[in-house]
Amino acid sequence: MSQGPVDASRVPRFAGPDTYARLPRLDQVERADVAIVGVPFDSGVSYRPGARFGPAAVRQGSKLIRPYNPALDVSPFADLQVADAGDIACNPFDIGQAIDTIEQAAGEFDAKLVTIGGDHTIALPLLRAAHRKHGPLALLHFDAHLDTWDTYFGAEYTHGTPFRRAVEEGILDTEALSHVGIRGPLYGKADLAEDRRLGFGIVTSADVMRRGPDEIADALRQRIGDRPLYISVDIDTLDPAHAPGTGTPEAGGLTSRELLEILRGLSGCNLVGADVVEVAPAYDHAEITSIAAAHVAYDLISLFALGKRA
């Protein structure tokens, strides 16, 4: 029987452990199906720093999470043993060393990971670790930005380059790569051509608004098929009205409702790993961003639980 969250009828929400959803720590359970792990790293950012405090903020924002998910008709903490694995401590001054540390640590978990960032640089080592276990990965990337640029100030490893590096390293299945929520100005039209060359399809935030989450989710499922799927969610895929606490906000984004409904529409996909990144609480208001991120993580955990049922 799974050990779930602290009983909110006995311990108030504002008390109890500072773990995600007040779940047990990984060292308190015999084994875990899903581990929640923080990576408090933001040395790869190009604008506002602060995502190193994201894992703590998302854990705080998760205190109202309840055990039953009615949108997906699943009780993920009962169907799976989910535990909080704490944080991967990595070098804040050396990006290369931090990437190596994250990759090694992620590869040592037996559980599926839902990782809380941290900036988007961390997606590359997480994808490397997942690739070693599952082979070439389908990628579903929610973001305002492509994150397939080549370099920034000559640096090859930043929060704007992880998915280009992942394609170059053969980690990703280039028949099943999608961005969702893309919007805002680019450096030039060539950015889009280069992204297509790498194998990505783009669903803009305007596409979601016009076509609706159900149609978008169906199209994504067809593109993904039964391939092992990694989902990476940059919280700035949401409009700043729904996620002000992030490092590179762009107007015109998804609503939190649209994002959650698209994720829920992916039930049945072969999800093998996921991350939620770029929560920067210094710019947040009333925990809007951290609460949104906590619910995104909850629906990702719920997808893992549905996958176990299948």
Side-chain angles (χ1 to χ4, degrees), residues 14-271:
F14 43 82
D18 287 326
T19 56
Y20 176 84
R22 307 199 308 167
L23 286 160
R25 300 190 314 269
L26 187 59
D27 61 5
Q28 294 175 312
V29 299
E30 291 186 6
R31 60 173 300 276
D33 300 298
V34 175
I36 311 299
V37 60
V39 183
F41 174 85
D42 66 359
S43 299
V45 300
S46 57
Y47 191 45
R48 302 194 305 201
R52 65 183 61 184
F53 301 110
V58 175
R59 288 180 174 112
Q60 172 64 29
S62 72
K63 286 183 178 291
L64 273 173
I65 296 286
R66 297 178 180 87
Y68 174 63
N69 186 337
L72 290 171
D73 187 25
V74 66
S75 297
F77 305 141
D79 292 352
L80 300 172
Q81 180 60 70
V82 186
D84 192 317
D87 291 341
I88 296 173
C90 49
N91 192 325
F93 303 110
D94 187 320
I95 293 177
Q97 188 177 110
I99 287 173
D100 291 344
T101 299
I102 297 163
E103 179 182 355
Q104 180 178 348
E108 292 173 354
F109 285 99
D110 292 328
K112 302 287 178 61
L113 297 186
V114 175
T115 306
I116 305 167
D119 76 53
H120 225 151
T121 310
I122 73 170
L124 178 60
L126 295 170
L127 286 166
R128 287 175 177 171
H131 175 261
R132 285 205 307 274
K133 295 179 180 179
H134 303 285
L137 303 166
L139 174 69
L140 180 51
H141 169 221
F142 291 88
D143 205 318
H145 312 96
L146 300 171
D147 289 1
T148 53
W149 284 279
D150 190 11
T151 62
Y152 197 71
F153 282 83
E156 295 183 347
Y157 299 96
T158 76
H159 74 161
T161 66
F163 303 118
R164 187 188 190 98
R165 300 286 91 84
V167 170
E168 292 170 346
E169 294 178 16
I171 291 169
L172 302 180
D173 184 334
T174 54
E175 298 297 314
L177 308 179
S178 300
H179 304 295
V180 180
I182 303 300
R183 61 189 187 278
L186 298 169
Y187 294 107
K189 193 172 182 178
D191 290 345
L192 296 172
E194 187 67 7
D195 193 73
R196 284 193 298 271
R197 185 188 69 79
L198 293 169
F200 283 89
I202 295 176
V203 178
T204 68
S205 57
D207 291 331
V208 176
M209 180 268 293
R210 293 189 176 101
R211 297 168 58 188
D214 292 345
E215 183 179 329
I216 294 297
D218 184 62
L220 292 170
R221 287 179 58 164
Q222 291 182 43
R223 187 172 176 89
I224 294 162
D226 61 358
R227 298 172 176 88
L229 170 65
Y230 189 96
I231 297 178
S232 186
V233 181
D234 185 326
I235 205 64
D236 73 24
T237 195
L238 300 181
D239 189 88
H242 297 265
T246 192
T248 48
E250 303 277 0
L254 305 183
T255 67
S256 53
R257 179 174 57 244
E258 288 171 332
L259 173 56
L260 293 172
E261 286 301 315
I262 294 172
L263 289 174
R264 292 163 183 167
L266 300 173
S267 174
C269 288
N270 180 21
L271 184 62

